[in-house]
Amino acid sequence: MVSNTDKVLVAGATGGVGQLVVAKLLAKDLNVRGLTRNTAKAESMFEGRVELVEGDIRYPNTLVDAVKDINYLICCTGTTAFPSTRWDFANLFQASNSPEAVDGKGVKNLLLAVPKDLKRFVFVSSCGVLRKDQLPFNILNAFGVLDAKLMGEKAIASSGLPYTIIRPGRLIDGPYTSYDLNTLLRAKTDGKKAVVIEKGDSLNGDASRVDVANVCVESLFHDTTVNRDFSIVNEGERPNNISWEQLFAKLSS
């Protein structure tokens, strides 16, 4: 179980989910390091409360300082499912920021770089990775985003490191890229729907980025999430208080 003497690295700290993960870790007084491609952007966002390291999971030589002495890693990196300017095409046929480069090879680079005594590797994957031949996931996977996520999952599961793999539905709420830290700390789930968690890859629907970040952070406090993969969506009426212990207990049943 994580404590405030541990160091938690967030890869993709300035992304839609990553920002919220950082804020929620800070709200629990945890020791946070952010891995980002743009430290200037991150510094303005997190107001000096986060140790920042500039690096890129696509390039192993940039990860040395980021992973030094960390105890936990939450990987929230990603790119668009369909070709866009974010894919950073080197030429007409080759993209240097494609899903394969980020979620596949990039995750493998992280695994090779982290300390051998890492206490947990938490990975934000996607619903549909085990249903790539079914609608609507076959459309979503037209350019290989689910193939890449599954490549990352398999590398993590076979690494020998303790892990938690989270498969959210279609991400909603945010991203909060233009907000400051105070706003991130106060971020609430829009729509007020309940959190639903199931083992494996069986759920369909939307998942709030706020609750995906909640699950990433709360999983560090519950051993029932170790070496588990599960899906998360939001549906039904949200209770006044969410019992993460009860939700995560389903994973060991």
Side-chain angles (χ1 to χ4, degrees):
M1 182 181 296
V2 67
S3 72
N4 57 14
T5 61
D6 291 314
K7 187 178 291 291
V8 184
L9 175 66
V10 180
T14 60
V17 173
Q19 299 169 62
L20 293 161
V21 167
V22 170
K24 292 181 180 302
L25 291 168
L26 291 175
K28 290 182 177 290
D29 296 321
L30 294 174
N31 188 3
V32 186
R33 177 184 292 163
L35 173 63
T36 176
R37 297 180 189 177
N38 186 336
T39 51
K41 175 183 177 182
E43 284 169 358
S44 63
M45 184 180 295
F46 301 131
E47 301 172 359
R49 291 185 58 187
V50 177
E51 178 192 358
L52 297 172
V53 178
E54 191 161 294
D56 191 324
I57 67 172
R58 297 173 298 172
Y59 306 109
N61 62 312
T62 71
L63 301 176
V64 177
D65 292 338
V67 301
K68 185 178 180 181
D69 299 326
I70 63 168
N71 306 103
Y72 293 84
L73 190 154
I74 301 177
C75 182
C76 310
T77 56
T79 186
T80 57
F82 299 95
S84 70
T85 55
R86 286 184 60 190
W87 279 36
D88 192 18
F89 283 92
N91 55 53
L92 184 61
F93 303 103
Q94 184 178 8
S96 62
N97 198 44
S98 66
E100 181 183 8
V102 176
D103 293 315
K105 296 176 182 177
V107 170
K108 290 182 178 180
N109 290 337
L110 271 177
L111 287 167
L112 291 173
V114 297
K116 301 305 180 187
D117 60 350
L118 190 76
K119 296 178 181 180
R120 189 92 65 89
F121 191 117
V122 178
F123 180 53
V124 179
S125 183
S126 173
C127 279
V129 291
L130 304 182
R131 296 173 284 167
K132 295 180 294 179
D133 59 338
Q134 302 175 24
L135 283 170
F137 304 113
N138 56 351
I139 298 173
L140 176 64
N141 194 46
F143 292 91
V145 66
L146 296 181
D147 292 331
K149 289 286 190 183
L150 187 59
M151 183 191 305
E153 284 193 17
K154 288 181 176 179
I156 293 165
S158 63
S159 69
L161 296 170
Y163 67 87
T164 301
I165 293 171
I166 300 165
R167 298 177 178 136
R170 185 177 69 92
L171 293 173
I172 60 171
D173 296 351
Y176 298 89
T177 49
S178 62
Y179 286 10
D180 59 17
L181 181 58
N182 285 333
T183 307
L184 289 168
L185 290 169
R186 295 194 304 269
K188 303 294 183 183
T189 302
D190 293 340
K192 308 301 180 186
K193 292 186 177 180
V195 176
V196 178
I197 287 175
E198 294 288 349
K199 291 185 289 186
D201 180 29
S202 60
L203 295 178
N204 297 300
D206 296 335
S208 165
R209 286 181 174 84
V210 180
D211 281 328
V212 174
N214 279 329
V215 168
C216 287
V217 174
E218 294 295 336
S219 69
L220 303 182
F221 294 89
H222 296 272
D223 290 342
T224 48
T225 66
V226 178
N227 296 340
R228 303 290 182 184
D229 55 82
F230 58 91
S231 305
I232 170 177
V233 297
N234 288 96
E235 61 182 27
E237 185 176 352
R238 194 178 187 90
N240 291 330
N241 294 295
I242 292 178
S243 171
W244 296 104
E245 183 176 3
Q246 289 182 357
L247 284 171
F248 291 143
K250 298 174 63 177
L251 302 178
S252 56
S253 62

